[in-house]
Amino acid sequence: MKIRLASDLITDSIVDGPGLRTVIFTQGCKHKCKGCHNPQTHDFNAGFEVKVDDIINKVKTLKLQRGITLSGGDPFEQAQPLIKICKEAKKLNLDVWAYTGYTFEEIMKNDNPNHKDWIELLKNIDVLVDGRFIQEKKDISIKFRGSKNQRILDVKRSLIEKRPVILKQYQD
Ligand code: SF4
């Protein structure tokens, strides 16, 4: 199985969730948010393909990282390979954050063709930062989010309660 990425893994990030984190920048995004900081990640044919097993092997060699963060692009466009990677990260006691332009409510709608994979991916994510980037709601003072409409969600509780549950320790 392969995954299409926008760049090599970035280690030691401190802006994509708490602690030192390794970020996986996936390639491909449909949302076209005005003011997006990573427009080069939109094209589904750009970037490069890599074997999922190679990414897993890299994750296994990580040192001093609290977790991994799925970013992009939109990671939800490549749910299947990411499910595999997240499962391995969990075995290594790494926590998993993910950024997506989709809202929790959109992901939960069972009339979309990706529903099954998206739910499976969610089950392997601890924290989801959801929603498109809205330039008018941009705020550089807020942590881990680009714009104020985005939410930092406790995924486990959100799945149990079937509603978006905000993680108050990161978002007031
Ligand atoms: S979801 Fe993220 S990567 Fe996609 S257009 Fe919006 S800001 Fe850019």
Side-chain angles (χ1 to χ4, degrees), residues 29-33 36-39 41-42 72-74 100-102 131-133 150:
C29 181
K30 296 176 183 167
H31 300 299
K32 299 190 173 63
C33 308
C36 169
H37 286 280
N38 298 314
T41 65
H42 295 180
D74 196 316
T100 178
Y102 295 104
R132 292 157 188 73
F133 171 70
Q150 295 169 324

Side-chain angles (χ1 to χ4, degrees), residues 10-151:
I10 307 289
T11 55
D12 300 332
S13 168
I14 55 165
V15 295
D16 301 290
L20 294 181
R21 313 192 64 81
T22 293
V23 188
I24 301 173
F25 284 100
T26 60
Q27 181 70 31
C29 181
K30 296 176 183 167
H31 300 299
K32 299 190 173 63
C33 308
K34 195 174 78 180
C36 169
H37 286 280
N38 298 314
Q40 74 283 1
T41 65
H42 295 180
D43 182 351
F44 283 82
N45 296 309
F48 57 93
E49 276 194 324
V50 57
K51 282 187 192 153
V52 167
D53 286 343
D54 290 347
I55 299 296
I56 289 170
N57 287 336
K58 278 191 186 161
V59 169
K60 283 180 177 167
T61 66
L62 294 174
K63 300 262 185 309
L64 302 173
Q65 307 294 292
R66 171 170 165 165
I68 63 167
T69 298
L70 316 180
S71 187
D74 196 316
F76 276 72
E77 304 299 353
Q78 298 188 75
Q80 283 204 0
L82 289 171
I83 291 166
K84 218 175 152 195
I85 293 167
C86 292
K87 282 188 170 157
E88 292 298 324
K90 293 263 164 216
K91 285 186 201 162
L92 297 164
N93 283 326
L94 294 164
D95 67 6
V96 180
W97 278 50
Y99 286 79
T100 178
Y102 295 104
T103 61
F104 178 79
E105 291 85 343
E106 286 170 327
I107 293 168
M108 294 298 282
K109 270 191 195 159
N110 55 15
D111 62 353
N112 86 60
N114 300 308
H115 182 69
K116 221 171 133 234
D117 284 346
W118 283 4
I119 298 297
E120 183 63 17
L121 181 56
L122 269 191
K123 285 179 182 168
N124 288 284
I125 292 169
D126 299 295
V127 176
L128 183 75
V129 185
D130 81 334
R132 292 157 188 73
F133 171 70
I134 298 178
Q135 201 166 33
E136 293 72 25
K137 295 185 177 171
K138 179 179 172 180
D139 185 342
I140 53 166
S141 72
I142 54 176
K143 249 181 150 183
F144 305 141
R145 295 180 289 156
S147 56
K148 277 185 154 172
N149 60 296
Q150 295 169 324
R151 303 168 296 188

